Amino acid sequence: MAKRNRVIKLFLLLFATFFISLNASNHLKSIKIDKGELKLIFENKIRKSNISTFTLNTPYRRVFDFKNAQIYNKDLLKNLYAPYNTKFRLSQFKKNIVRLVIESDKVFRCSHYSPILSSNIYNISLPYPIGYNKNSNTQSKPKPKPKLKQEEVKIVKEEPINIKNNDISELPWYKKLLEGNSKKNINKTKKSYRIVIDAGHGGHDGGATSGGIKEKDIVLQIAQRVKRMLLRAGYTVYMTRDSDHFVKLSNRTKFSNRRKADIFVSIHANAVGKNSRANIAHGIETYFLSKARTARAKRVAAKENRALLSRKDYHSRNVILNDVINGPKIILSNKLAIDVHNSILEYTRTLYPNTKSGGVRPAPFWVLVGAQTPSILVEVGYITNPRERAKLRKASYQTMIAKGIVKGIRKYLKNRERELN
Ligand SMILES: [Zn+2]
C-alpha cells in the first residue's frame, strides 16, 4: 500500500510538472528577416496547435495568432526594415496571444513553418523579396531604408486589456520578466547566461564511497572550482548546494527551473560494486537525459537515482521515466554533453594522456527529469579505481576537470549563438 501511494504521488508530481510546462507562456524573443522570410524566435518550442492564421482584405493582411505566447520586448520590430510595400504590426493581442500582422499591397501566397531541429523558430514567407524595387522590377541590393514610422513599429493594442497608452511595460508579467532581464538586449551577455552547477549527493547521502573517499566531497570540490571559474568568466552561477548538506533530487531541477537556467550540469563520481571490475573500471562518462540504451547507462542511472526511491520501486520508476524522457531539450542536452565531455578530456589529458573516455551516453537520471533546460550529468571518474581515486583527490586534476567543464559550456553557448544569428 505504501508503495502504491508513493507511485501515485510520483505520477501526480510528474503530471503537475507537465501541466505547468504545457501552459507556461512562451516568449517571443526576437524577429529577423532572413532569406526573404520573417523569422520569429521564441524561447521554447512552438506548438502547431497554438498557431492560427487568417487573412483580411482592403488592405490585404495576413494575420498570425500565437497562443500561450508573450512579447519579450516591445522593441522587437524597431530595427526591422520592412521590405517593399509591406508593413508589420506586432501586438500582445490578448494576455496570452501574440498577434503578428503582415500588410501588403498585393495578395500573396504565404508559407509558414518551423525549421527541422529548430522547433522554437517560426518562419513566414514575405510578399516581396528583400531588396525588391518596383521601378527596376529586379532584385537590387538592399538599401538602408529610413526607420518605419513610429505608428508602424510600436506595440499595437488591438483589444483593450487595461494597457495604458499601448504600453505593455506596466503589465505585471512584463515587469516580472524585466526583473530577471534588466538588459533589454536580446543578445544575451555572458552575465545573463544562468548556469546551474549541481554537486551530487551531500549530507547523509555520501554517494559512492571507496578507500575512505566520499563522492559527495570530491564532486563538491570540483563544483566549487567550476563555479569560481564561471564567475570569473562573467557568467551568473547558481549552486544547488555549496556545502555538505542533502538536497532532494526533485528539488535540484526545481531549483534550476525557478532560476530559469540556460544550462544545468550535475557532477558525480562513478563506482562499481565489489567485484573483479572494481579495481579496473575507470574513465570519464557524460550523460544526458534519455532512455538508457546500454547496460552500463542503466547501472549508473540506477546508482544515481537511488536517493529517490528504494530498490523495490525500481520497476515503477522505470515505467515513469520511459514516459517522460522524450522532451524537446534532448538534442541540445546531447550537444552540451558532447562539448563538455570533449573539453574535459582535452584538459585532463594534459596531465594524464591516458585518461579514458567512457563516452557520451543517454541515461534516465532522475536529477535531469523535469529540467526545462539542456541538462547533463558528468561522471568525473571511478573512485573505486585506486589510481583514478588518487587523481580525483588532487587539486591539479580537479582543476583540469573544472576547466574542461567550463570550456565545454562556453563552446556550447557560442555554437547556439551562432545558430541564432
Ligand atoms: Zn553520484
Side-chain angles (χ1 to χ4, degrees), residues 42-101:
F42 288 84
E43 191 170 39
N44 298 309
K45 179 191 169 124
I46 321 144
R47 284 164 210 282
K48 243 190 175 153
S49 55
N50 280 339
I51 304 171
S52 55
T53 181
F54 56 94
T55 58
L56 298 167
N57 289 316
T58 34
Y60 182 77
R61 280 156 291 163
R62 165 66 74 161
V63 181
F64 286 89
D65 280 344
F66 298 89
K67 254 198 300 181
N68 284 343
Q70 285 175 341
I71 296 169
Y72 180 81
N73 178 323
K74 55 180 175 169
D75 295 334
L76 285 184
L77 288 181
K78 215 159 215 172
N79 296 314
L80 205 66
Y81 298 115
Y84 178 78
N85 275 2
T86 306
K87 284 176 191 168
F88 302 134
R89 281 193 295 278
L90 183 70
S91 66
Q92 190 69 49
F93 179 61
K94 284 184 184 168
K95 200 171 177 187
N96 65 339
I97 297 179
V98 169
R99 170 164 287 187
L100 172 77
V101 181

Side-chain angles (χ1 to χ4, degrees), residues 329-387:
K329 297 295 181 195
I330 287 181
I331 292 166
L332 290 178
S333 298
N334 192 0
K335 287 180 177 180
L336 175 63
I338 291 167
D339 286 337
V340 167
H341 187 76
N342 290 340
S343 301
I344 294 176
L345 288 172
E346 189 185 308
Y347 276 96
T348 50
R349 282 175 179 167
T350 62
L351 290 180
Y352 302 96
N354 294 327
T355 302
K356 184 185 164 192
S357 167
V360 171
R361 298 150 182 276
F365 288 110
W366 256 103
V367 71
L368 304 181
V369 171
Q372 294 156 7
T373 187
S375 308
I376 58 168
L377 186 147
V378 184
E379 295 279 358
V380 295
Y382 283 78
I383 65 168
T384 39
N385 180 301
R387 288 180 63 179

